[in-house]
Amino acid sequence: IDLSKRSLAYALMSADRLGITGVDFYQLDLLSVKDLKRDFDVVESVGVLHHMEDPEEGLKALLQVVRPGGYLRLGLYSEISRQRLVKLRKLYVKSGMTPSEDNIRAVRQAILSSQAAQGVFGIVNQFSDFYAMSPCRDLIFHEQEHRFTLSQIKSLLEKYKLNFLGFSGLRRTVVEAFVQRYDTESLLSLDAWAEFEQDNPNIFSGMYQFMTQVPTKVA
């Protein structure tokens, strides 16, 4: 599902080009997902909730369509990892710039050409999104963004009785360093990951991506 007809059209075209069948596409607000009148074993929402006015309302809507014992995979921005982006966005807002293509190019060029800017915002140009127009607009110029700490995520999962099943998309070296510092059982401890992130603030520079399992209803 997506709000954007353009995005859905591209998805339809790509599915046709790749010969992928068995996928249904709907133009729909995430908050109205229950209107599908369907439920699912697995629901994925990566990079969406943190751009909503109220991310928790989005989470509640998704949980309405996950079957008991099913899985919910989420992707949320890290408060710690995105601090340089936050500084850059504040400068952009203060300047009164609009997210036009010319302005996006100007910001990118300023960061790439200035050693001072690279020192302050250097991590920004390590994102692949930085080098494409639409993704860069989302990366730097998005008008609404919520960021989370792992403590906030832990509280949210506990509130809705979601079991944390671990992160995905992490570099192997990060996982190895974590296990060396703690142990394999701690891979499912958000408290341990929160401590580890404090000492390694860029490990979730993309976003937190993790799998949860919803409770199984007792008959």
Side-chain angles (χ1 to χ4, degrees):
I1 67 172
D2 204 292
L3 277 176
S4 168
K5 286 185 177 180
R6 181 177 296 182
S7 295
L8 289 168
Y10 183 79
L12 283 162
M13 180 184 70
S14 298
D16 183 64
R17 176 171 54 84
L18 296 170
I20 294 174
T21 59
V23 181
D24 298 323
F25 298 94
Y26 298 93
Q27 185 187 22
L28 191 68
D29 189 318
L30 187 150
L31 294 176
S32 302
V33 67
K34 195 174 182 181
D35 292 347
L36 290 174
K37 301 188 186 308
R38 298 172 62 181
D39 53 15
F40 305 90
D41 292 314
V42 181
V43 171
E44 297 193 17
S45 180
V46 176
V48 177
L49 297 184
H50 51 222
H51 287 312
M52 299 183 68
E53 183 176 352
D54 186 340
E56 187 171 349
E57 286 301 307
L59 174 62
K60 288 163 62 177
L62 292 175
L63 289 173
Q64 291 180 321
V65 295
V66 185
R67 292 175 185 141
Y71 299 91
L72 177 63
R73 181 170 178 261
L74 298 172
L76 300 170
Y77 285 146
S78 161
E79 181 69 63
I80 292 175
S81 292
R82 293 181 73 83
Q83 281 309 297
R84 289 189 180 183
L85 282 167
V86 171
K87 290 180 181 179
L88 180 58
R89 186 175 289 112
K90 285 180 179 178
L91 286 178
Y92 146 71
V93 172
K94 187 176 180 180
S95 72
M97 293 174 65
T98 58
S100 66
E101 292 188 3
D102 286 343
N103 285 340
I104 292 173
R105 291 190 179 98
V107 170
R108 288 193 304 197
Q109 189 56 43
I111 293 173
L112 291 172
S113 61
S114 167
Q115 289 187 350
Q118 288 184 33
V120 178
F121 308 120
I123 193 173
V124 177
N125 61 24
Q126 296 177 20
F127 290 90
S128 59
D129 288 356
F130 182 78
Y131 298 94
M133 187 61 64
S134 181
C136 188
R137 183 181 287 107
D138 185 67
L139 181 70
I140 300 174
F141 298 87
H142 204 290
E143 62 183 19
Q144 182 164 262
E145 174 182 304
H146 298 273
R147 295 169 302 279
F148 296 81
T149 64
L150 286 175
S151 294
Q152 289 174 320
I153 289 176
K154 179 183 177 182
S155 297
L156 201 58
L157 299 188
E158 289 177 346
K159 180 176 181 179
Y160 293 98
K161 297 180 173 56
L162 296 172
N163 295 317
F164 175 70
L165 300 182
F167 291 107
S168 61
L170 287 173
R171 296 190 304 276
R172 182 174 179 176
T173 53
V174 170
V175 177
E176 290 174 346
F178 178 90
V179 171
Q180 185 174 8
R181 177 169 170 175
Y182 301 96
D183 50 48
T184 54
E185 290 184 0
S186 295
L187 287 169
L188 298 182
S189 168
L190 286 170
D191 290 331
W193 276 110
E195 183 180 80
F196 191 71
E197 187 185 19
Q198 287 291 338
D199 297 331
N200 303 274
N202 295 326
I203 57 174
F204 295 105
S205 57
M207 66 182 77
Y208 301 119
Q209 295 190 50
F210 55 95
M211 184 73 81
T212 68
Q213 186 174 26
V214 305
T216 301
K217 291 181 179 179
V218 179

